[in-house]
Amino acid sequence: MPVNATLATYSDWTYAAAVAIYFLAAVLYLCEAAFARPAKARELAGAVAAGGTRADGTWTPGLVAKPERSRAERLGRMGVALAVLGALLQTASLVLRGLATERAPWGNMYEYGSLLTLAAVVTWLVLSRTFDVRRLGGFVLVPIVILMFLGGTVLYTDAAPVQPALQSYWLVVHVSVISVSSGVLLVPGVASVLYLLKTSGRARFAKLPDAEQLDRLAYRSTVFAFPLFTIGIICGAIWAEAAWGRFWGWDPKETVAFVSWVVFAAYLHARATAGWRGRPAAWINSLGFALTVFNLFFINLVTTGLHSYAGVG
Amino acid sequence: MSALLAFLRNTWRGLTAMRTALTLLFLLALGAMPGALLPQRSLNSLKVDEYIADNGWWGRLLDRLQFFDVYASVWFSAIYVLLFVSLVGCLLPRTWEYFKQMRAKPVLTPRNLARMPHHASADTTASPQAVIEHAERRLKGWRTVTRDEPGGGRTISAERGFLRETGNLVFHFSLLGLLIAFALGKMFGYEGQVIVQANGGQFCNSGVYNYDTFRPGLRVDGTQLNQFCVRVDDFEAEFLHNGQAESFDAAIQYQSGADLDTGTWRPYPLRVNSPLRTAGDRVYLLGHGYTPLFTVTFPNGETRTGATQWRPVNLVTLASEGATKFDPPNVPDAEQRRKSQLAITGLLAPTAAFRGELLDSAFPAANDPAVAIDVYRGDLGTDSGRGQSIFSIDQKMVKDGKLTKVARQNLKQGEQLTLDDGTVIRFDGVRDWVSLQVSHDPTQLWVLVFSVLVILGLGVSLSIKRRRVWVRASPREDGRTVVEVGGLARTDQAGYGEEFDALSRDLLAHKEES
Ligand code: HEM
């Protein structure tokens, strides 16, 4: 299986461009978050705009009544546009790598991380159409930029065919399902962390959106990703039965997958148990998120197990 | 006695509370973690020994507490069993409740609908009767009851999303089934590994002694293995330029069932990711390595060839180590024989790369095989009663001076060396061996079935919302009819709002036209 070097190079370029553009988008988002007024003040200002009186009672004729979008909002919208562009470039990068190697483009940790972060960005873009949380884009994009930067430098692997153990259609199913669901889970993870900050009662976090919005965002995306993650694990087990001689053997990555599965299941239960809703549930969800990242990095890079296909080391 | 009963009852109640189940679930997760962080005997016992040696009392303490056998430990099993009991305790009353609810009618309309989380109202000229009839049409697909109220009003209680509970129960029961099937599989399954020469070497699953290593489940004594035989005719590997493997192929033949009696062999291309499934067992291609071939010509002119597998020490370049052992020919006297046994040990490189005299392997394929060997003569200790590895010589014999090194040399394929007594050792090349694993797990299909049910149940229970809606139409003094709609999501609130808004709009808006 020869590798098409030209396509592989284009793939690398589009990847780098996507990282740069996400970075810009994150900056714009963060500017919006910094300049935007807290949610309450914004509503009030809207309500009194017709009268021309500001929330604090001062009369400002020309300024407030202007129906034009605020500068902060314009920055945020530019952020969204850039994030969409970045996602398109990143998709192109994955497709090109797939074409260059003539296999599914998620055979090592670099490629797998790219798919995961792409899933997170797309989830974010979709959800921010339903929920009024656009200003949080920066908090989602920053970890994504960091992950992608690490992926593109430390974990980078040249385009190449995969070893015999990975030559199976289960690579297509298992790894794509697992990484898409892990990517989706990044969003509720961030939302739950922000929820914890928002409800911590510190004034500094007052600008964050409504706690209930964050809670619903976290719940909705977990409810979507959890069954997907379960399917991914089961596909892994089916593959393991064919590749490693047993469907479950407590390999480190299997173990941590099991543990994070239990943690996410506990989150869903906690939301239905009196006394566990709200902050406890958000803690559990954040823990699940932390475990997902731990599984990706620690288990791949530090321990050795059957899953050591990451292409690093 | 009654105190004991009360205690038992309280324990049972405590154990089956949702909070306990949740806590146990956490404990299970917490308990599983050390297995990912510490080396485990079941995966790599050498690493465990190393860890214990490196960590002194701490390592021994962990060992005492079964931290190197987490998944077989007393405490992990205890959590597992408690969770299991708790799950059963949760599920039985819930199932009972479920059946009761399924036959019950939707609950009475609350007196004050304005208190419901979702609420809307309007008034209309239509009669209560007409309003309710319209509402009934709109609420098709819901479980409804219509009731009359004192004062001429009429109400509908409607409920939907009962399938959620069904999905939930399926999910939990399947989880239970999965735990049981998994445990049974561990008890009645076995797993064994064996190295077979890839030039027609044979393996038969007729007894434990045929294996190099064998791991039986608790209920397996090894006397009733499924009968089948495998013959490895050929093995082929392909590698990329950087030494990464691209494909492994073992051409095997097998016989099982009636074929055993008729002696029929059936071919099968055994590859990674595509095990042979026969006689209820699975045969996997786990790995491969090289067997160096040596021909020894003894001073009396007799020759012996040795073909013992050596084991890879570098998994990328397949540089291998091992020991090929020979008995001298025609020496009936055991005492005498023990003085002149031969052993060839050292390093085998499938593709030789010499740095000065130092041999290393440059590539995993057998392109240019060479060996760097030490030859020992004397008593190998094979009759000493102590077991010895086929990959090494007994260093104790060397220390005791019973086994002495008589030569050290590098040999490329076809080269030979001569010992002081005139014995000639020739390195003829290499042959492939494959390592096979045989696995037996009688319940794995059940585990799969339950996993699929887990997914289905989960999907249903997370995607369907259980919700109620009530409509009340009551006459007012002025002759108009007040219509009130109230809604309640029985499960998580997320997402009922939109549906309720649409529903109440339909239920209320239509009235104004009539
Ligand atoms: C019970 C069996 C299995 C489970 C529970 C499982 C679980 C997982 C999980 C949770 C991940 C993503 C982890 C992360 O966030 O980094 C993952 C990734 C992956 N799995 Fe599996 N898996 C199983 C079997 C297999 C098998 C049999 C193979 C191949 C022979 C395989 C190949 C991969 C690869 C290539 C990745 C992505 C790259 C990487 O993270 O190194 N898995 N698996």
Side-chain angles (χ1 to χ4, degrees):
Chain A
M1 270 193 293
V3 170
N4 185 325
T6 320
L7 291 182
T9 312
Y10 286 147
S11 164
D12 292 352
W13 286 349
T14 39
Y15 183 88
V19 180
I21 284 181
Y22 285 148
F23 181 73
L24 272 183
V27 171
L28 290 174
Y29 273 130
L30 289 176
C31 286
E32 182 192 18
F35 294 143
R37 277 160 293 174
K40 280 256 175 49
R42 207 164 32 143
E43 277 154 31
L44 275 178
V48 295
T53 324
R54 263 240 283 268
D56 56 7
T58 50
W59 171 254
T60 44
L63 250 174
V64 173
K66 251 205 291 191
E68 181 180 304
R69 288 179 187 133
S70 72
R71 180 147 30 110
E73 197 178 341
R74 275 196 320 241
L75 289 180
R77 282 176 185 268
M78 277 159 66
V80 175
L82 281 185
V84 171
L85 178 62
L88 290 177
L89 282 170
Q90 199 183 349
T91 312
S93 142
L94 275 171
V95 170
L96 285 170
R97 210 172 233 252
L99 292 176
T101 51
E102 293 177 25
R103 60 170 167 79
W106 41 81
N108 53 52
M109 207 170 152
Y110 158 71
E111 296 168 358
Y112 166 78
S114 182
L115 184 62
L116 187 154
T117 45
L118 180 61
V121 173
V122 171
T123 310
W124 171 253
L125 287 172
V126 169
L127 283 176
S128 58
R129 292 172 64 96
T130 332
F131 294 88
D132 174 28
V133 287
R134 194 187 60 236
R135 280 171 302 138
L136 301 181
F139 298 100
V140 176
L141 276 185
V142 166
I144 286 174
V145 169
I146 295 175
L147 285 177
M148 284 187 73
F149 181 76
L150 287 177
T153 52
V154 185
L155 306 176
Y156 180 77
T157 329
D158 281 327
V162 288
Q163 62 181 83
L166 295 185
Q167 291 162 16
S168 157
Y169 50 84
W170 286 107
L171 174 72
V172 181
V173 186
H174 165 61
V175 184
S176 62
V177 172
I178 279 277
S179 49
V180 167
S181 60
S182 307
V184 177
L185 284 169
L186 190 130
V187 175
V190 171
S192 283
V193 171
L194 293 176
Y195 176 92
L196 288 172
L197 294 179
K198 171 81 178 183
T199 53
S200 67
R202 302 225 183 98
R204 155 161 35 125
F205 303 119
K207 268 191 188 175
L208 294 174
D210 190 31
E212 205 215 330
Q213 281 263 2
L214 289 172
D215 184 48
R216 276 180 44 199
L217 175 71
Y219 179 70
R220 282 260 199 114
S221 33
T222 309
V223 158
F224 174 73
F226 182 69
L228 211 56
F229 186 58
T230 315
I231 293 177
I233 292 180
I234 291 175
C235 291
I238 297 177
W239 191 6
E241 195 269 342
W244 298 335
R246 82 288 180 293
F247 64 87
W248 193 270
W250 299 108
D251 176 66
K253 187 154 285 199
E254 288 170 8
T255 305
V256 178
F258 167 75
V259 173
S260 36
W261 187 86
V262 167
V263 169
F264 285 119
Y267 165 72
L268 294 179
H269 281 87
R271 291 217 15 144
T273 310
W276 287 68
R277 292 191 186 98
R279 285 176 66 83
W283 273 111
I284 299 176
N285 209 26
S286 311
L287 178 67
F289 171 54
L291 279 168
T292 311
V293 175
F294 175 82
N295 205 5
L296 176 55
F297 283 99
F298 187 83
I299 297 297
N300 269 352
L301 302 180
V302 182
T303 61
T304 44
L306 290 167
H307 256 100
S308 305
Y309 299 122
V312 284
Chain B
M1 188 64 205
S2 70
L4 181 70
L5 272 181
F7 172 76
L8 286 178
R9 200 172 53 227
N10 284 338
T11 313
W12 175 251
R13 281 214 188 114
L15 195 60
T16 58
M18 181 97 156
R19 201 154 13 94
T20 316
L22 210 55
T23 314
L24 284 169
L25 210 56
F26 264 124
L27 272 179
L28 191 69
L30 195 68
M33 256 337 243
L37 302 176
L38 294 170
Q40 295 294 299
R41 276 222 172 79
S42 58
L43 298 178
N44 193 336
S45 64
L46 285 177
K47 266 208 180 146
V48 173
D49 297 339
E50 215 173 275
Y51 187 93
I52 297 177
D54 288 349
N55 286 277
W57 66 271
W58 172 238
R60 286 193 299 278
L61 180 69
L62 287 180
D63 193 21
R64 191 89 54 77
L65 296 176
Q66 300 179 300
F67 271 89
F68 303 113
D69 302 282
V70 167
Y71 309 109
S73 69
V74 174
W75 46 270
F76 192 76
S77 317
I79 303 175
Y80 191 95
V81 170
L82 280 178
L83 178 64
F84 185 83
V85 174
S86 172
L87 213 54
V88 173
C90 262
L91 285 183
L92 290 182
R94 231 173 128 164
T95 314
W96 177 236
E97 190 69 13
Y98 172 75
F99 279 116
K100 273 201 316 207
Q101 276 181 14
M102 210 155 61
R103 275 178 302 151
K105 287 184 175 145
V107 293
L108 280 178
T109 309
R111 176 112 13 108
N112 188 353
L113 283 180
R115 284 237 196 97
M116 287 292 126
H118 302 278
H119 173 251
S121 69
D123 58 42
T124 169
T125 51
S127 69
Q129 182 64 28
V131 169
I132 292 300
E133 272 170 18
H134 167 76
E136 275 171 346
R137 278 196 299 278
R138 175 62 179 79
L139 289 172
K140 198 171 272 161
W142 292 61
R143 283 159 34 106
T144 60
V145 225
T146 308
R147 296 186 177 95
D148 282 318
E149 288 193 331
R154 264 171 94 70
T155 72
I156 301 182
S157 308
E159 191 170 19
R160 191 162 204 185
F162 216 72
L163 215 54
R164 180 190 179 98
E165 189 66 9
T166 319
N168 203 309
L169 286 173
V170 168
F171 170 78
H172 284 94
F173 275 112
S174 314
L175 214 53
L176 210 62
L178 198 145
L179 288 181
I180 297 175
F182 185 78
L184 286 178
K186 284 273 162 282
M187 280 165 109
F188 293 97
Y190 59 79
E191 208 175 85
Q193 283 157 8
V194 60
I195 285 179
V196 183
Q197 303 286 344
N199 66 329
Q202 264 194 41
F203 163 80
C204 283
N205 193 38
S206 47
V208 175
Y209 46 83
N210 286 353
Y211 285 99
D212 298 335
T213 57
F214 187 77
R215 266 195 300 188
L218 282 176
R219 296 268 148 183
V220 175
D221 58 9
T223 54
Q224 285 180 322
L225 306 183
N226 296 325
Q227 297 294 318
F228 66 89
C229 290
V230 169
R231 194 174 80 206
V232 183
D233 291 333
D234 193 17
F235 174 80
E236 227 152 286
E238 279 171 40
F239 301 93
L240 298 175
H241 295 301
N242 63 0
Q244 184 193 317
E246 199 179 359
S247 71
F248 297 132
D249 260 295
I252 65 167
Q253 310 221 35
Y254 69 99
Q255 48 183 205
S256 62
D259 288 349
L260 284 168
D261 302 325
T262 60
T264 316
W265 288 93
R266 294 173 194 276
Y268 186 82
L270 188 66
R271 322 188 77 207
V272 178
N273 269 319
S274 122
L276 166 70
R277 296 169 194 275
T278 187
D281 282 18
R282 290 118 52 205
V283 182
Y284 296 86
L285 178 60
L286 273 201
H288 79 114
Y290 293 107
T291 302
L293 305 173
F294 294 103
T295 304
V296 178
T297 310
F298 290 91
N300 65 358
E302 284 208 50
T303 62
R304 290 277 183 279
T305 50
T308 309
Q309 65 263 29
W310 286 19
R311 77 178 153 207
V313 286
N314 181 327
L315 291 178
V316 179
T317 64
L318 290 187
S320 311
E321 284 176 358
T324 306
K325 301 168 188 176
F326 296 88
D327 272 338
N330 293 330
V331 185
D333 177 28
E335 196 59 34
Q336 201 50 34
R337 191 170 63 228
R338 256 188 259 129
K339 292 222 173 76
S340 49
Q341 288 176 309
L342 277 183
I344 304 171
T345 74
L347 188 83
L348 162 70
T351 298
F354 287 101
R355 246 187 305 119
E357 282 295 289
L358 228 58
L359 175 67
D360 200 359
S361 173
F363 199 74
N367 293 339
D368 177 21
V371 287
I373 50 171
D374 290 328
V375 182
Y376 287 86
R377 190 169 51 211
D379 184 358
L380 291 173
T382 34
D383 307 333
S384 69
R386 253 199 330 266
Q388 60 174 276
S389 158
I390 61 161
F391 295 114
S392 58
I393 52 170
D394 189 347
Q395 286 300 330
K396 188 168 180 304
M397 300 315 253
V398 180
K399 231 182 258 154
D400 294 351
K402 294 186 179 147
L403 192 59
T404 44
K405 192 190 292 182
V406 289
R408 151 168 272 188
Q409 197 166 326
N410 294 337
L411 295 180
K412 300 188 100 178
Q413 183 165 347
E415 289 180 346
Q416 59 188 39
L417 64 82
T418 310
L419 299 182
D420 50 6
D421 64 355
T423 306
V424 175
I425 297 178
R426 192 175 71 230
F427 172 51
D428 296 324
V430 298
R431 179 194 287 160
D432 290 294
W433 55 256
V434 297
S435 101
L436 300 181
Q437 171 169 314
V438 175
S439 306
H440 176 73
D441 182 343
T443 59
Q444 69 170 12
L445 192 65
W446 285 106
V447 173
L448 181 63
V449 168
F450 284 123
S451 324
V452 171
L453 286 175
V454 161
I455 291 278
L456 292 180
L458 189 66
V460 168
S461 87
L462 288 182
S463 61
I464 292 181
K465 288 182 283 283
R466 218 171 143 194
R467 63 264 190 215
R468 285 181 174 160
V469 64
W470 293 279
V471 187
R472 169 177 286 130
S474 35
R476 207 163 55 186
E477 292 95 61
D478 65 2
R480 291 175 71 87
T481 303
V482 181
V483 188
E484 276 186 289
V485 185
L488 175 68
R490 294 285 317 280
T491 41
D492 213 287
Q493 310 247 333
Y496 183 42
E498 292 119 58
E499 187 193 7
F500 180 82
D501 289 344
L503 193 62
S504 63
R505 214 176 311 119
D506 287 353
L507 291 175
L508 297 174
H510 189 74
K511 304 299 167 307
E512 282 315 305
E513 301 160 15
S514 48

